C-alpha cells in the first residue's frame, strides 16, 4: 500500500517489475492510497482495525510509525536485523518505538533553505546574515517581491517551518515546549513579517505550493522548501538552473542547524502471512540500485547513505548538496498522539504569525496541553 502519483507512481511500478524479475516466485500487487495524507492514514487504519492480513508492506509517512506500532498493527522488525548504520540517523529514529525498529526509511525529505547564488554571495550561516542578505537583495533588485518565502498557513507545513527555524520538538522535549529556543524560533516567524520586513503578510496563508511559485517566479532570493524543488530548479529550461543553492536553515538561536524531517518509511503488517517475502521486498527497495533509480526518475532522495555514489552524482550532481542537508534532519516527535499535538502547534503558530499572541504567551498557553497529550500516550 503506497501513495505516489505521476513520476513516483511510475518509479514504484518499475521497482516492482525489477523485483519480480529478480524474484520470480514473489508477486507484488500495488494498493494505491490517496495522495492526501490524512485520507491515506485513514485508509491504512481501516485495514488495520479490520485485522486484514493485507497490505503486507506499508508505505508510512515518517510521523505515522508510532501510531501504528502502539496498537500492534505493524511488526517489530528486530527479527530481521536491519542495518541501522545504512540510514541517516534522523530518519531512522522516526521508525523506532520504545527502543524497537518498526519501520525502515525508504526515501528521505528534509526542509532546507534555498538561496539564489547570483543574488547572494554565500550561503548564510547565521540569522543576522540571512536577514541582511535578504534586505540587500531586495534593495538592489526591485523585481524581488520578498526576501524570504516560507509556509505559514495553519497546517503541518507551519510545524515543519517552526522546527527548521530551530524549534525543539524532540519526543523528550514535549513535557515542556515553553523554552527559550522555541520562543526564539516562534518569534522569528512573526518578526520575519512584522520587524524585518523580509516576508509578506500573505505568508500566513502560504503552503509549499505558494513558496514554490514565489521561488520559481524569481521573486525571492531565499525560500524554505523541500528537496523536490531542487530538481525543478535545475531542470532543462529553468531560469534558475545553475543559480540554486540549498543548505540547512540557520538556527535562530545560534545553535546547530536542523532540517525538519519528511519522507516515507516502509513497515510490515503484523498480520501479514508473508513477512519474509515482505522483508525481502523492503531490502530490494532500499538497495543502492533501486534507491538511485528512484532518485533519478522520481526525484525522491535516497534514504540509504551509500546511494549517494558516483552513479547518482554523475547524473544529478545537486544530490551532493542535498546530502549535506539530510545530515541535519530532525524528526518530529515520535509519538502515537502526534496528530493531536501537531494540531495544537498549528494553532499556536497561527496565533503568533497573525499577531494575536506573542511567542512567549502562545508557548506558555500551549505547553500544558502538549504535555497532557504526550502523557496520555503512555
Amino acid at each position: 500500500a503506497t501513495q505516489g502519483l505521476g513520476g513516483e507512481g511510475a518509479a514504484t511500478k518499475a521497482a516492482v517489475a525489477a523485483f519480480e524479475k529478480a524474484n520470480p516466485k514473489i508477486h507484488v500487487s500495488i494498493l494505491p492510497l490517496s495522495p492526501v495524507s490524512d485520507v491515506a492514514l485513514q485508509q491504512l487504519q481501516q485495514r488495520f482495525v479490520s485485522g486484514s492480513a493485507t497490505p503486507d508492506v506499508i508505505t508510512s509517512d515518517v510521523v505515522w510509525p508510532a501510531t501504528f506500532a502502539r496498537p500492534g498493527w505493524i511488526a517489530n522488525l528486530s527479527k530481521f536485523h536491519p542495518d541501522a548504520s545504512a540510514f541517516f540517523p534522523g530518519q531512522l529514529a522516526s521508525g523506532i518505538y520504545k527502543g524497537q525498529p518498526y519501520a525502515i526509511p525508504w526515501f528521505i525529505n528534509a526542509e532546507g533553505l534555498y538561496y539564489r547564488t547570483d543574488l547572494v554571495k554565500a550561503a548564510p550561516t547565521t540569522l543576522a546574515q540571512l536577514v541582511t542578505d535578504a534586505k540587500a537583495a531586495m534593495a538592489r533588485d526591485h523585481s524581488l517581491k520578498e526576501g524570504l518565502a516560507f509556509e505559514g498557513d495553519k497546517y503541518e507545513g507551519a510545524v515543519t517551518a517552526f522546527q527548521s527555524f530551530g524549534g525543539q520538538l524532540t519526543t523528550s522535549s514535549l513535557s515542556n515546549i515553553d523554552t527559550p529556543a522555541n520562543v526564539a524560533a516562534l518569534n522569528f516567524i512573526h518578526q520575519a513579517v512584522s520587524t524585518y520586513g523580509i516576508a509578506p503578510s500573505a505568508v500566513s496563508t502560504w503552503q509549499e505550493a505558494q513558496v514554490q511559485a514565489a521561488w520559481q517566479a524569481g521573486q525571492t532570493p531565499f525560500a524554505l522548501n523541500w528537496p523536490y524543488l531542487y530538481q525543478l530548479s535545475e531542470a532543462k529550461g529553468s531560469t534558475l538552473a545553475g543559480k540554486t543553492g540549498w543548505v540547512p536553515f540557520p538556527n535562530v538561536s545560534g545553535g546547530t542547524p536542523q532540517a525538519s524531517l519528511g519522507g516515507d518509511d516502509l513497515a510490515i503488517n503484523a498480520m501479514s502471512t508473508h513477512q519474509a517475502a515482505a522483508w525481502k521486498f523492503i531490502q530490494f527497495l532500499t538497495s543502492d540500485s533501486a534507491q538511485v533509480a528512484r532518485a533519478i526518475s522520481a526525484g525522491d532522495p535516497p534514504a540509504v547513505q551509500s546511494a549517494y555514489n558516483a552513479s547518482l552524482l554523475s547524473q544529478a550532481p545537486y544530490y551532493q548538496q542535498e546530502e549535506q542537508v539530510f545530515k541535519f534532519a530532525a524528526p518530529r516527535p515520535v509519538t502515537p498522539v502526534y496528530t493531536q499535538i501537531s494540531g495544537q502547534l498549528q494553532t499556536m503558530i497561527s496565533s503568533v504569525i497573525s499577531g494575536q499572541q506573542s511567542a512567549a504567551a502562545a508557548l506558555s498557553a500551549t505547553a500544558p496541553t502538549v504535555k497532557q497529550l504526550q502523557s496520555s500516550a503512555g
Side-chain angles (χ1 to χ4, degrees):
T2 188
Q3 294 176 276
L5 302 173
E8 285 190 318
T12 299
K13 290 179 180 178
V16 166
F19 173 76
E20 290 182 332
K21 184 176 181 180
N23 299 273
K25 293 184 179 180
I26 303 175
H27 175 65
V28 180
S29 299
I30 299 174
L31 173 65
L33 298 175
S34 169
V36 179
S37 181
D38 290 348
V39 177
L41 175 60
Q42 291 172 1
Q43 290 173 325
L44 288 173
Q45 288 174 324
Q46 288 168 358
R47 289 262 181 166
F48 289 139
V49 169
S50 72
S52 175
T54 58
D56 300 280
V57 179
I58 297 98
T59 299
S60 169
D61 187 290
V62 291
V63 299
W64 295 347
T67 300
F68 297 157
R70 182 169 71 162
W73 290 339
I74 54 177
N76 184 328
L77 302 179
S78 59
K79 60 187 175 185
F80 296 114
H81 308 290
D83 180 8
S85 66
F87 306 99
F88 292 99
Q91 187 172 9
L92 183 70
S94 72
I96 305 297
Y97 179 67
K98 293 191 173 181
Q100 297 295 312
Y102 282 86
I104 297 298
W106 184 17
F107 59 87
I108 189 170
N109 268 332
E111 199 170 37
L113 178 69
Y114 286 92
Y115 68 98
R116 287 274 299 275
T117 58
D118 58 327
L119 299 176
V120 180
K121 290 183 179 180
T125 57
T126 66
L127 181 63
Q129 184 184 350
L130 169 67
V131 172
T132 298
D133 288 349
K135 287 183 175 180
M138 293 171 71
R140 286 193 308 269
D141 187 345
H142 295 292
S143 68
L144 298 175
K145 296 182 179 180
E146 53 266 340
L148 171 66
F150 66 91
E151 64 270 33
D153 199 6
K154 188 179 176 182
Y155 80 121
E156 184 65 22
V159 179
T160 64
F162 170 67
Q163 186 178 38
S164 295
F165 293 153
Q168 300 302 301
L169 293 176
T170 60
T171 308
S172 59
S173 71
L174 296 179
S175 60
N176 180 25
I177 63 169
D178 189 5
T179 64
N182 285 346
V183 170
L186 199 53
N187 260 332
F188 176 74
I189 291 178
H190 178 62
Q191 291 170 342
V193 178
S194 64
T195 304
Y196 304 130
I198 58 174
S201 58
V203 79
S204 63
T205 64
W206 281 13
Q207 298 190 7
E208 282 93 341
Q210 287 73 39
V211 175
Q212 175 186 336
W215 173 257
Q216 290 189 288
Q219 68 187 48
T220 181
F222 293 107
L224 184 73
N225 213 317
W226 303 87
Y228 78 93
L229 192 54
Y230 212 142
Q231 186 180 48
L232 296 177
S233 300
E234 292 296 320
K236 185 178 180 180
S238 168
T239 59
L240 300 174
K243 303 175 183 177
T244 297
W246 197 55
V247 295
F249 196 95
N251 188 301
V252 299
S253 298
T256 302
Q258 59 187 29
S260 188
L261 174 73
D264 277 358
D265 294 338
L266 296 166
I268 295 176
N269 187 342
M271 301 298 292
S272 169
T273 57
H274 305 287
Q275 292 194 18
W279 178 248
K280 196 167 189 177
F281 182 49
I282 288 175
Q283 286 182 299
F284 178 85
L285 293 178
T286 54
S287 65
D288 282 5
S289 58
Q291 292 268 297
V292 169
R294 189 175 188 89
I296 296 301
S297 65
D300 287 335
V304 177
Q305 297 187 71
S306 57
Y308 291 82
N309 52 33
S311 174
L312 175 65
L313 299 181
S314 64
Q315 299 177 77
Y318 51 83
Y319 276 114
Q320 189 162 16
Q321 282 195 62
E322 292 192 8
E323 182 185 13
Q324 300 310 308
V325 175
F326 300 148
K327 291 179 179 179
F328 293 94
R332 279 160 281 170
V334 181
T335 170
V337 293
Y338 177 71
T339 300
Q340 297 95 307
I341 288 174
S342 175
Q344 293 295 317
L345 297 175
Q346 292 171 35
T347 299
M348 176 188 74
I349 295 166
S350 180
S351 71
V352 172
I353 197 171
S354 64
Q356 296 175 6
Q357 291 189 90
S358 68
L363 276 162
S364 177
T366 306
T369 304
V370 170
K371 179 180 179 179
Q372 183 179 23
L373 285 169
Q374 178 62 0
S375 296
S376 71

